[in-house]
Amino acid sequence: MSTMPFDNTARLQVDNTLDDPRQRSPLVLGHHDFATVTEEICAVNEAPKPPKLWYISLVISASLAGMLMMLVGYLIITGVGVWGNNNPVMWGWPIVNFVFWVGIGHAGTLISAILFLFRQKWRTSINRFAEAMTIFAVICAGLYPGIHIGRVWLAYWLFPIPNQMDMWPQFRSPLLWDVFAVSTYFTVSLLFWYVGLIPDLATLRDRANTRIKAIAYGFFSLGWRGSMRHWHRYERAYLLLAALATPLVLSVHSVVSFDFATSQLPGWHTTIFPPYFVAGAIFSGFAMVMTLAIPARQIWGLKNFITMRHLENMNKIILLTGTMVGYAYATEFFIAWYSGELYEKFAFVNRAFGQYAWAYWIMVSCNVISPQIFWFKRARTSIWIMFIVSIFVNIGMWFERFVIIVTSLAQDFLPGSWGYFTPTWVDIMTFIGTFGLFMTLFLLFIRFLPVLAIAEIKAVMPEADPHAHGHGHGDEHEEVDE
Amino acid sequence: MSRTPPVTTRDRIWGYAAEFTTPAAITDAAKKVAAAGYRWWDCHTPFPVHGLDTAMGVKPTILPIIVFFGGITGTMLAIFLQVFTNSLEIDLWAIVPVVGYQFEVSGKPLISAPAFVPVMFEVTVLLSALTTVGSMFALNGLPCLYHPVLKSPKLARITDDRFYLVIEARDPQFTDESTRVFLESLGPESIEMLEP
């Protein structure tokens, strides 16, 4: 099998989005060998001081995270009345934000598990921080149901723990399925992430120049020594985790959508919800990956690893999933009309032209219209356009959850029980606070953990193939030409 | 007080490590070591080299079988949990201080199998994943607090860009002389002696 001649690399650096199967563009640019890959990625962690922007961002996001904690404290000592939740909109921003954050997480698992099963090698440059993003997003998501229950000190009632009342949770309720789905999702994502981190933590351990680093990385790398017998089981375990995480990630947002779909409310009671929610989750998650990856590769000089090809591939997925989401919106309308059900028809006409029409059209323009620009290659390969579209998609997907939850609750069957939802300052600041928490965790991750999967990147380089560069089996063995 | 000098070489030599620079070179060397009949030996690489495990003659791991049973346990546990807490009023006080409860919701059957499927699925995945990681660590002997391969500063490049083939002194075929000569015949960059 012949690999691409190296002289071509220079030309392909200009346009490495070339995807001709006979001559794929390299996944790692800039004439790297294994040592320089280690060097360049570890430089992010080993630089004596991170860029100034890192400090500024950390101060801002840590302050916002602190504000979040104070607001949660304020909520607990005062009660949920500090939020805009009312009757009939019992599920206000907290559940909107819960669904939003859980959805963000899905792209990380898609990249790490589903693309792994499909042998999409380009995932190696983005999977590490996409997985980190998953975990931090699920942490933000998990906060909301906990504080939304009202009496926070009784949050343990969510779990099947024996208590003094001899009562158990009700397992026919999708809300309880959610408890299991989200906690399983968090645990499995964390395991997956940690297993992937071990060889790279060992790399940082072996390069550590201070005692604290050596102890910390040494502790978490568990004495990894790159043994091929270990790698053999490790790779099998990684494959199994990917195979387990793939149905899991599809199940999590399906279960989240069951919270809505199993109710009787017009606009919620539809069978399209599970696939529609999963497509939306992947869509929003990829947008968040883009929002984080574009500045990160710029600031830490990772352009040789997160190349234009990676970004373009992600843009293609955003285009695909965005179009699927748009198709789901259209199907919902069609079925509402086709069903002949009065309340269902009203719910959808009301979404588009009622009191929340502004939210609906923000959603449609951000989610359906804005990604369509990615039909053009020039847009797919323009940093600014993709960054702006990714922000739009984040906004649009938040509004999608807002539209689903609030419009259906605000105006359902009886006009006598209609209402309007207005968030309070606590709602808004709590949501901003979760971004602070998310970014704080993410910035700490970039500084202290290997931001790209070093071992995996080495394994997809042409040099990693035992048959590369005219190296044959046994007798044909020759010297390496660098 | 002086220690008695080592009687055999095995007391102070833990093994020899031969350094290679490319995946192809270590794969070729591994085939020869396997053919020579060594048993206590290993390759240490910065990333999983494709095909090296088969070249070394590593047998497929039993990990998937263990995980299968982990998953089955999860399914059983979830069925038991849901049927016990929602469908039957069994008093387990004799064994554990809990009593089951019969939830009657909207006249639905007490054992509503379809409603129990999502939690069964989630617990199956959870236990499978925990079993996968737990057994992988257990089979690999991780966490490992000390290992001679980690002691040598030169071998720290295993996690960077070097490929080391290590033959341990406890191998029945190992002798100080012959093993060294044999490793040299494989054309490594260098040979390192590892202390226990």
Side-chain angles (χ1 to χ4, degrees), chain A residues 64-77:
Chain A
L64 291 175
M67 182 186 73
L68 171 70
M69 298 307 152
M70 285 193 281
L71 286 171
V72 170
Y74 175 58
L75 171 87
I76 291 171
I77 57 175

PDB file of all heavy atoms in Angstrom, chain A residues 64-77:
ATOM      1  N   LEU A  64     -18.116  34.282  37.006  1.00  0.00           N
ATOM      2  CA  LEU A  64     -19.481  33.899  36.649  1.00  0.00           C
ATOM      3  C   LEU A  64     -19.870  32.592  37.344  1.00  0.00           C
ATOM      4  O   LEU A  64     -21.002  32.434  37.804  1.00  0.00           O
ATOM      5  CB  LEU A  64     -19.607  33.743  35.135  1.00  0.00           C
ATOM      6  CG  LEU A  64     -19.505  35.032  34.321  1.00  0.00           C
ATOM      7  CD1 LEU A  64     -19.524  34.739  32.839  1.00  0.00           C
ATOM      8  CD2 LEU A  64     -20.619  35.990  34.678  1.00  0.00           C
ATOM      9  N   ALA A  65     -18.906  31.678  37.449  1.00  0.00           N
ATOM     10  CA  ALA A  65     -19.203  30.425  38.149  1.00  0.00           C
ATOM     11  C   ALA A  65     -19.490  30.697  39.623  1.00  0.00           C
ATOM     12  O   ALA A  65     -20.385  30.088  40.217  1.00  0.00           O
ATOM     13  CB  ALA A  65     -18.044  29.446  38.000  1.00  0.00           C
ATOM     14  N   GLY A  66     -18.746  31.633  40.198  1.00  0.00           N
ATOM     15  CA  GLY A  66     -19.007  32.016  41.595  1.00  0.00           C
ATOM     16  C   GLY A  66     -20.397  32.613  41.737  1.00  0.00           C
ATOM     17  O   GLY A  66     -21.130  32.310  42.689  1.00  0.00           O
ATOM     18  N   MET A  67     -20.773  33.443  40.747  1.00  0.00           N
ATOM     19  CA  MET A  67     -22.101  34.034  40.770  1.00  0.00           C
ATOM     20  C   MET A  67     -23.165  32.932  40.706  1.00  0.00           C
ATOM     21  O   MET A  67     -24.181  32.997  41.405  1.00  0.00           O
ATOM     22  CB  MET A  67     -22.248  34.977  39.579  1.00  0.00           C
ATOM     23  CG  MET A  67     -23.563  35.683  39.510  1.00  0.00           C
ATOM     24  SD  MET A  67     -23.699  36.639  37.998  1.00  0.00           S
ATOM     25  CE  MET A  67     -23.934  35.366  36.780  1.00  0.00           C
ATOM     26  N   LEU A  68     -22.892  31.912  39.882  1.00  0.00           N
ATOM     27  CA  LEU A  68     -23.837  30.800  39.773  1.00  0.00           C
ATOM     28  C   LEU A  68     -24.058  30.160  41.143  1.00  0.00           C
ATOM     29  O   LEU A  68     -25.191  29.919  41.557  1.00  0.00           O
ATOM     30  CB  LEU A  68     -23.298  29.761  38.779  1.00  0.00           C
ATOM     31  CG  LEU A  68     -24.050  28.444  38.717  1.00  0.00           C
ATOM     32  CD1 LEU A  68     -25.405  28.632  38.076  1.00  0.00           C
ATOM     33  CD2 LEU A  68     -23.262  27.398  37.956  1.00  0.00           C
ATOM     34  N   MET A  69     -22.945  29.925  41.860  1.00  0.00           N
ATOM     35  CA  MET A  69     -23.068  29.281  43.171  1.00  0.00           C
ATOM     36  C   MET A  69     -23.899  30.143  44.117  1.00  0.00           C
ATOM     37  O   MET A  69     -24.737  29.649  44.865  1.00  0.00           O
ATOM     38  CB  MET A  69     -21.681  29.026  43.776  1.00  0.00           C
ATOM     39  CG  MET A  69     -20.819  28.080  42.960  1.00  0.00           C
ATOM     40  SD  MET A  69     -21.667  26.524  42.618  1.00  0.00           S
ATOM     41  CE  MET A  69     -20.924  26.015  41.093  1.00  0.00           C
ATOM     42  N   MET A  70     -23.651  31.466  44.068  1.00  0.00           N
ATOM     43  CA  MET A  70     -24.404  32.357  44.959  1.00  0.00           C
ATOM     44  C   MET A  70     -25.883  32.348  44.603  1.00  0.00           C
ATOM     45  O   MET A  70     -26.747  32.335  45.478  1.00  0.00           O
ATOM     46  CB  MET A  70     -23.838  33.766  44.875  1.00  0.00           C
ATOM     47  CG  MET A  70     -22.521  33.884  45.602  1.00  0.00           C
ATOM     48  SD  MET A  70     -22.009  35.563  45.846  1.00  0.00           S
ATOM     49  CE  MET A  70     -21.352  35.984  44.266  1.00  0.00           C
ATOM     50  N   LEU A  71     -26.181  32.343  43.292  1.00  0.00           N
ATOM     51  CA  LEU A  71     -27.579  32.345  42.881  1.00  0.00           C
ATOM     52  C   LEU A  71     -28.267  31.048  43.259  1.00  0.00           C
ATOM     53  O   LEU A  71     -29.439  31.053  43.637  1.00  0.00           O
ATOM     54  CB  LEU A  71     -27.684  32.583  41.374  1.00  0.00           C
ATOM     55  CG  LEU A  71     -27.405  34.017  40.952  1.00  0.00           C
ATOM     56  CD1 LEU A  71     -27.310  34.118  39.447  1.00  0.00           C
ATOM     57  CD2 LEU A  71     -28.476  34.955  41.469  1.00  0.00           C
ATOM     58  N   VAL A  72     -27.527  29.934  43.177  1.00  0.00           N
ATOM     59  CA  VAL A  72     -28.119  28.664  43.605  1.00  0.00           C
ATOM     60  C   VAL A  72     -28.398  28.721  45.099  1.00  0.00           C
ATOM     61  O   VAL A  72     -29.464  28.297  45.571  1.00  0.00           O
ATOM     62  CB  VAL A  72     -27.197  27.484  43.227  1.00  0.00           C
ATOM     63  CG1 VAL A  72     -27.665  26.201  43.881  1.00  0.00           C
ATOM     64  CG2 VAL A  72     -27.155  27.303  41.726  1.00  0.00           C
ATOM     65  N   GLY A  73     -27.462  29.313  45.843  1.00  0.00           N
ATOM     66  CA  GLY A  73     -27.688  29.490  47.274  1.00  0.00           C
ATOM     67  C   GLY A  73     -28.909  30.366  47.539  1.00  0.00           C
ATOM     68  O   GLY A  73     -29.760  30.039  48.377  1.00  0.00           O
ATOM     69  N   TYR A  74     -29.019  31.452  46.793  1.00  0.00           N
ATOM     70  CA  TYR A  74     -30.162  32.365  46.926  1.00  0.00           C
ATOM     71  C   TYR A  74     -31.454  31.618  46.632  1.00  0.00           C
ATOM     72  O   TYR A  74     -32.452  31.754  47.354  1.00  0.00           O
ATOM     73  CB  TYR A  74     -29.967  33.535  45.957  1.00  0.00           C
ATOM     74  CG  TYR A  74     -31.116  34.513  45.880  1.00  0.00           C
ATOM     75  CD1 TYR A  74     -31.558  35.180  47.021  1.00  0.00           C
ATOM     76  CD2 TYR A  74     -31.744  34.776  44.677  1.00  0.00           C
ATOM     77  CE1 TYR A  74     -32.608  36.078  46.956  1.00  0.00           C
ATOM     78  CE2 TYR A  74     -32.793  35.668  44.591  1.00  0.00           C
ATOM     79  CZ  TYR A  74     -33.233  36.321  45.737  1.00  0.00           C
ATOM     80  OH  TYR A  74     -34.273  37.199  45.666  1.00  0.00           O
ATOM     81  N   LEU A  75     -31.428  30.797  45.588  1.00  0.00           N
ATOM     82  CA  LEU A  75     -32.611  30.015  45.215  1.00  0.00           C
ATOM     83  C   LEU A  75     -33.002  29.063  46.340  1.00  0.00           C
ATOM     84  O   LEU A  75     -34.171  28.965  46.716  1.00  0.00           O
ATOM     85  CB  LEU A  75     -32.305  29.211  43.938  1.00  0.00           C
ATOM     86  CG  LEU A  75     -33.376  28.205  43.581  1.00  0.00           C
ATOM     87  CD1 LEU A  75     -34.436  28.869  42.746  1.00  0.00           C
ATOM     88  CD2 LEU A  75     -32.793  27.019  42.860  1.00  0.00           C
ATOM     89  N   ILE A  76     -31.981  28.399  46.911  1.00  0.00           N
ATOM     90  CA  ILE A  76     -32.288  27.389  47.920  1.00  0.00           C
ATOM     91  C   ILE A  76     -32.889  28.043  49.160  1.00  0.00           C
ATOM     92  O   ILE A  76     -33.870  27.557  49.713  1.00  0.00           O
ATOM     93  CB  ILE A  76     -31.024  26.579  48.263  1.00  0.00           C
ATOM     94  CG1 ILE A  76     -30.620  25.715  47.063  1.00  0.00           C
ATOM     95  CG2 ILE A  76     -31.250  25.681  49.482  1.00  0.00           C
ATOM     96  CD1 ILE A  76     -29.275  25.048  47.194  1.00  0.00           C
ATOM     97  N   ILE A  77     -32.312  29.181  49.584  1.00  0.00           N
ATOM     98  CA  ILE A  77     -32.836  29.772  50.827  1.00  0.00           C
ATOM     99  C   ILE A  77     -34.130  30.534  50.596  1.00  0.00           C
ATOM    100  O   ILE A  77     -34.868  30.779  51.534  1.00  0.00           O
ATOM    101  CB  ILE A  77     -31.792  30.666  51.547  1.00  0.00           C
ATOM    102  CG1 ILE A  77     -31.294  31.769  50.625  1.00  0.00           C
ATOM    103  CG2 ILE A  77     -30.642  29.842  52.071  1.00  0.00           C
ATOM    104  CD1 ILE A  77     -30.365  32.734  51.320  1.00  0.00           C
TER     105      ILE A  77
END
